[in-house]
Structure formats: structure tokens, C-alpha cells
Amino acid sequence: MCRALDMDEAQRVRLITLISEAGSSLLGAAGLTADFAVRPAPAPAGARGLPGPDRLVVRFRWDEEREPSAEILAASRRLLDLCAHSGHRLELGQNLPAPRSAGRLSTRVQEELAALRGTDMSDELRNQNRELLAALEEARAQQDELQRLNEELEETNAGVMALYRELSSELEETNRGVVALYADLEDRSRRLRLASAAKTRFWANVSHELRTPVNSVIALAQLLLAADAEALTAEQHRQVSLIASSGNTLLALVEELLDTAKAESGRLEPHLRETDLRTVLYQLRGTLAPAAGAEVELDIEDAAFPGRFVTDEVMLTRILRNVLSNGLKFTAAGSVRLTARAEERADGPWAVFTVTDTGVGIPEGQLDRVFEEFYQVRGAHQRGRAGTGLGLPYARRLSELLGGRLTLTSRVGNGTRVVVELPADPPETGRARALGEGPLLRSVVIIDDDPDFVRSLGPVLGKLAEHTTEVTDSSQALRMIRTTMPDAVLVDLAMPAPDGYQVLQQIAAVPALSQVPVLILTSTDRSSLDHSRLTRARVSREWSRLLR
């Protein structure tokens, strides 16, 4: 019958074996009957509306108290599609391979049963036993194969364990070497840190000690060059001018060395304040214009930052001055340009400064080394050009201290492009008081005959000082200064008599005003200034500053 239902050999063996075992366990029970039927099975989960497969079901019934063995029930639930036991009833079933017509199925089963009526049941039982023996032999063969595979696996495991022990031994030996190497590296690192700290202390001490004699050299040179000093011959004037120029260069180098030492030791801290970008660019334009060669155009954009710009003005000026000085130094003809723009980024507004030149450029293999302290790219372009190799490393270090970055691209013969990116409004943590957070000075006196210009300075001076006194008549300047005793004085040079030079001399002649800072504001080109008159005022008043 199972063959008539197209059940495969494995299904037949499972079903026949379990039915035989169940019948044997119930044999002799009163009223024992066994019925065979083909019924539709429940539809699979998720197949609503679709018919389930056909199922061959064998149902046992009996009258007395007897239960099939627990082993038979457990095996049936595991191996068959149906095992239902309740009271004196047991149903075992196996799903058929494919649905088929009930009429045709009944006819085929009846034909199989009719054929069995003429067959000795012992022959059928022998056939089933032969099939069972074949299945057992196949299972034994599979068990033998499994045993062989287990033996091979054990051999493989033994090899793996041997390899693991060998690798573990080598790893332990390697680890011992790594530990020894790490200890050596740690010792070397400690000695390098000590050497670096000693170098930083040396820089700081030497720079600090050099500043005093260098300042003395510069001051004495200025005294010799003063207009009221004893006349010098042309050669003496040239030599003293060279001393003064070299002294200023040496002083700038000393300041850079001292700042570099402070930065390395973590003692160089930015002082963040709201900054007027146009003032910074104006100062750079006046300071660096004399350094541009006859065939070099220095173009510094006159740009104002569109919003609040908070940074360390001194550090920003030094960054841009170093980069621009490098461009001017190595550009014989063409241009050096500085542009500034604002960018809105995810973390807030940023200021981006771009310096481009048409100079000699830097070889590709040297682009990283130019940021090494004291390193200079060797070549014919270095002849006659003083330098220490601190400019770019110093500028990059200051950019990082301000929370930004400095990048450089260059090609030999095509010039250099340096981009400085700085946050325009960094976090408040550690920030010094900004201009907008309250006045820095008690009072300021501004002396200028142009009332429109004085009014234009009103918003800036309002942030600087609590009280501002405006003097448009220069003849009243000294009296007003002596009356108010301000924290600072701003003087314009180009005024009707007495002009700014004379006002400076009047202030310098009053000992009581020796500690009042004086800042000079002028739109006059530096080459057009009367330096002899400024020198006299500056020598007698070392606290005055010229804002170019």
C-alpha cells in the first residue's frame, strides 16, 4: 500500500516499523482494531486558503486499560508527521509526497490489497524484514563512516594541538622580545623627553637673556641715527643702519624662539578677544610693503569679517606676517596676495586666509620637511636671503593653538599657496574677556581734526573704554590730556598746527604723562613719514607705538 501511495523508502521504513512496534505493544488488548485511511493534512503555516497534503493515517482502538510504550510514542512524534494518543486511541500518520485524486488513490490501494490477498503474509513480512535489514546495514555503514571521520578528526585535532603548542611557544618567546623592546623604547622615549625639555629650557633661557642686550643694541643704534645726534659720515650712517636692521631681525628671531619654547612646554596660551580684521590687514600692509621688491606686487585684501571674529590678534598677525614674509623673500618677480573669507561650517563660522605667491616654489619631496624647525630647502634661491627655518613651523604651531590649521601646496617654478583656517568664534572655555564683554579701559582721548573719522571710531572706542574724550583742536590736546589723565591717547599726525608730531613732543616733555600709552593713527604711507621727528618722540617716550 505504501508503494501504491508513492512513499519513498525512508518514509515506508519509518512508518512500517513504528506501526509494527505500536501494534506489537498493543497486541492482545481486548477489542484491538487497526484502520487505515487517507485524509487531508492541515495546511502549512502561512498558506491560508490552500489545501494541505494528503496523509496516510493508521488508527488503533482497544477497550482495556493498556498504554503504548513511551519509547514508541517518543519515536513516533520525532519521525512521523502525526502521533496522537488519547485514552484507548492512537493515531499515526505520514504525509504523502503529492496530492492526488481520491478516486484514483482508492482504486490503486484496492488493487494493491487485492494482490496481497493471494500472497502469503509471511512472504510480505520477509520482504519487510529484508528492507529493514538493508536499512540497518546502511545505517551501520553510515556509523562506520562516521567513526572513520571521527578518527580522522581526532588525528587532525592532535595535529592542531601540536601546532598550537608550537605557536604558543613561539608567541611567548616573541612576547618576551616585545616586552624587552618596549622597555628599551620606553627608556629611549624618557631620555628623548628629558632632552626635549632641556632643549626647551635652553631656548627659553637663551632667548630671555638675549632680549636685553639686543634691545640695548637697537636703542643705541636709534640714538646714533637720531636727527639731533652728532652727525655721522655716510659710511658710519650706513653701518649703524645695518646694526639697527640686524638688531631688529635678531630681536624678531629671539621672540620667535621664546614663543616656540613656550608652545613646546605648553606655556603659550592664546588670549582670545573680538578682533577687527581690517585693522590686522592694514597693519600687515604697512609693515610688509617695504619688504616687497621692485618687481613684486604685494596685494593684501581690504576685507572686514561679516560677523563676530574672536581670536588672538597678536598670534594671527604673526602667522600672516611669517607666511607673507616667506612669500616676499622667495618671489623675485610677480605677486604675493593675501585674501580672507568667511565660511559657515557645521561647528560654526570659520575665517580662511589664503596667501599665494609666484615665487620659486618648493620641491614635492620637501613639502613636509619645511615644517621641521630650523630646516630650509637648499638651493640657489637661498643665496643672500637670511632665514632660520622657524617661520612656517612657528606659524603652523600658532594656528593649532588657535584651534585651526595651516596647509601648504607648492610646485617648483609655479609658486606656493598657504591656507590658514581658524575658528571665528571658538568656545568660551579659557577665553579672556572679549571686547564685547565690557570696556577694557577707563578713559581714552582721541586727537583728530576730522570729526567724521572720530565718529566712525565711536563703536570701537565704546567697546574699548568707558569714557571717550574727543579733541578736534590740537592746541587743546595737552591741556585735555593733563586734565583727564586717560588710560590711552590716540593721535593723528596730519593736523593743522600744532600737528601730530608737535603734539607728541608736547606729551613727551611732561614727566607726569610718561606712563600714558600713545598710539599714532595715520593713513600716510610709511615712506612719507618724518621719521626723524618720530624718532625724537619715540626715543624720549619708549612706550609710544606706531600703527602702520
Side-chain angles (χ1 to χ4, degrees):
M1 183 174 63
C2 291
R3 291 194 187 92
L5 297 176
D6 292 332
M7 297 175 67
D8 59 32
E9 184 177 353
Q11 289 177 320
R12 293 199 308 271
V13 170
R14 288 198 301 269
L15 181 61
I16 292 171
T17 301
L18 291 170
I19 290 174
S20 300
E21 292 296 328
S24 299
S25 66
L26 296 172
L27 190 62
L32 177 63
T33 60
D35 299 327
F36 290 81
V38 176
R39 295 202 301 262
R48 296 179 59 185
L50 297 176
D54 292 330
R55 175 180 290 170
L56 175 60
V57 179
V58 181
R59 183 170 53 199
F60 295 93
R61 289 192 182 91
W62 61 96
D63 296 334
E64 64 182 52
E65 292 297 331
R66 183 181 293 192
E67 297 292 331
S69 67
E71 291 81 1
I72 295 298
L73 293 177
S76 298
R77 291 190 181 99
R78 187 174 65 253
L79 299 175
L80 299 180
D81 297 317
L82 172 64
C83 177
H85 173 229
S86 175
H88 298 169
R89 180 175 176 176
L90 173 63
E91 289 187 354
L92 303 178
Q94 181 74 41
N95 290 348
L96 300 180
R100 38 180 57 82
S101 169
R104 294 179 56 191
L105 183 61
S106 175
T107 302
R108 187 168 179 182
V109 170
Q110 289 176 2
E111 291 175 354
E112 289 288 336
L113 291 175
L116 287 174
R117 291 192 185 99
T119 305
D120 188 353
M121 292 302 294
S122 61
D123 293 337
E124 180 63 23
L125 184 59
R126 280 193 294 273
N127 290 334
Q128 292 181 5
N129 289 337
R130 282 196 297 271
E131 292 177 356
L132 182 59
L133 288 174
L136 291 174
E137 289 178 359
E138 182 179 357
R140 181 178 297 173
Q142 292 176 352
Q143 184 176 4
D144 294 341
E145 179 67 15
L146 182 61
Q147 184 176 356
R148 184 184 64 80
L149 292 175
N150 284 337
E151 292 174 354
E152 292 181 358
L153 182 60
E154 289 178 0
E155 293 178 0
T156 303
N157 287 341
V160 169
M161 291 302 297
L163 180 61
Y164 173 76
R165 286 191 292 270
E166 182 180 354
L167 291 176
S168 296
S169 175
E170 293 180 358
L171 183 60
E172 289 177 2
E173 183 177 353
T174 303
N175 285 341
R176 286 192 293 270
V178 169
V179 170
L181 179 61
Y182 178 79
D184 183 57
L185 289 176
E186 183 66 22
D187 181 62
R188 290 172 182 260
S189 298
R190 182 184 59 81
R191 284 184 286 173
L192 283 174
R193 286 194 297 269
L194 293 175
S196 178
K199 178 199 68 175
T200 301
R201 288 196 302 272
F202 171 77
W203 282 11
N205 294 336
V206 169
S207 300
H208 182 75
E209 295 300 325
L210 282 176
R211 277 198 298 180
T212 299
V214 170
N215 281 326
S216 300
V217 170
I218 295 173
L220 291 173
Q222 290 175 343
L223 285 172
L224 290 173
L225 293 173
D228 55 355
E230 184 178 348
L232 301 175
T233 65
E235 179 61 22
Q236 288 174 332
H237 192 280
R238 187 188 68 80
Q239 292 175 354
V240 174
S241 297
L242 180 60
I243 292 173
S245 175
S246 299
N248 284 314
T249 301
L250 182 58
L251 181 60
L253 173 59
V254 168
E255 294 292 346
E256 287 187 1
L257 281 171
L258 188 58
D259 282 352
T260 301
K262 287 181 179 178
E264 286 196 349
S265 62
R267 293 185 292 111
L268 184 61
E269 294 290 339
H271 301 284
L272 303 179
R273 290 181 174 86
E274 192 167 346
T275 301
D276 184 356
L277 181 58
R278 296 189 67 179
T279 300
V280 174
L281 299 178
Y282 177 78
Q283 292 179 19
L284 289 170
R285 203 178 296 114
T287 303
L288 296 174
E295 299 182 13
V296 178
E297 175 192 3
L298 176 62
D299 181 10
I300 298 179
E301 184 180 28
D302 185 11
F305 199 77
R308 172 183 168 92
F309 183 36
V310 177
T311 190
D312 187 312
E313 182 176 341
V314 175
M315 286 189 179
L316 174 62
T317 302
R318 289 180 179 178
I319 292 169
L320 297 178
R321 186 178 66 233
N322 273 285
V323 176
L324 287 166
S325 297
N326 260 17
L328 292 171
K329 185 186 299 183
F330 299 110
T331 301
S335 64
V336 177
R337 287 186 168 83
L338 167 61
T339 61
R341 72 178 190 277
E343 283 189 5
E344 193 65 33
R345 301 182 180 178
D347 55 349
W350 280 63
V352 180
F353 303 91
T354 304
V355 177
T356 56
D357 65 59
T358 57
V360 295
I362 303 171
E364 183 177 356
Q366 304 287 325
L367 289 178
D368 290 333
R369 297 207 62 190
V370 295
F371 291 104
E372 297 178 10
E373 292 166 350
F374 303 110
Y375 180 80
Q376 292 179 288
V377 179
R378 301 301 178 191
H381 60 277
Q382 283 286 356
R383 293 175 187 153
R385 293 182 173 90
T388 61
L390 275 177
L392 284 176
Y394 180 59
R396 171 173 275 188
R397 190 180 295 273
L398 293 183
S399 300
E400 292 170 351
L401 282 174
L402 292 175
R405 54 185 169 270
L406 184 151
T407 55
L408 179 147
T409 56
S410 182
R411 291 179 61 188
V412 175
N414 290 330
T416 301
R417 180 174 183 266
V418 179
V419 178
V420 179
E421 302 169 88
L422 301 175
D425 194 5
E428 295 290 337
T429 305
R431 176 184 295 179
R433 184 177 60 168
L435 295 181
E437 298 172 0
L440 299 176
L441 304 175
R442 178 183 56 82
S443 66
V444 171
V445 172
I446 177 170
I447 306 168
D448 197 304
D449 64 324
D450 185 352
D452 293 332
F453 176 73
V454 172
R455 281 194 295 272
S456 69
L457 285 181
V460 176
L461 295 177
K463 298 177 180 179
L464 277 172
E466 295 179 4
H467 304 287
T468 302
T469 303
E470 301 170 2
V471 180
T472 55
D473 183 358
S474 59
S475 62
Q476 303 296 319
L478 184 61
R479 183 184 63 81
M480 187 61 66
I481 295 172
R482 298 183 69 169
T483 301
T484 59
M485 289 300 292
D487 294 328
V489 177
L490 282 73
V491 180
D492 180 26
L493 293 180
M495 294 186 296
D499 62 9
Y501 299 96
Q502 293 171 311
V503 171
L504 289 174
Q505 291 176 1
Q506 292 173 3
I507 298 172
V510 180
L513 302 179
S514 61
Q515 299 303 317
V516 179
V518 177
L519 291 88
I520 302 172
L521 304 176
T522 180
S523 59
T524 306
D525 185 77
R526 184 182 181 188
S527 60
S528 302
L529 297 177
D530 190 340
H531 290 281
S532 62
R533 300 176 69 185
L534 286 175
T535 300
R536 286 196 295 272
R538 185 165 60 250
V539 169
S540 60
R541 296 298 302 273
E542 294 182 355
W543 36 259
S544 66
R545 293 173 54 197
L546 177 62
L547 299 184
R548 303 177 183 79

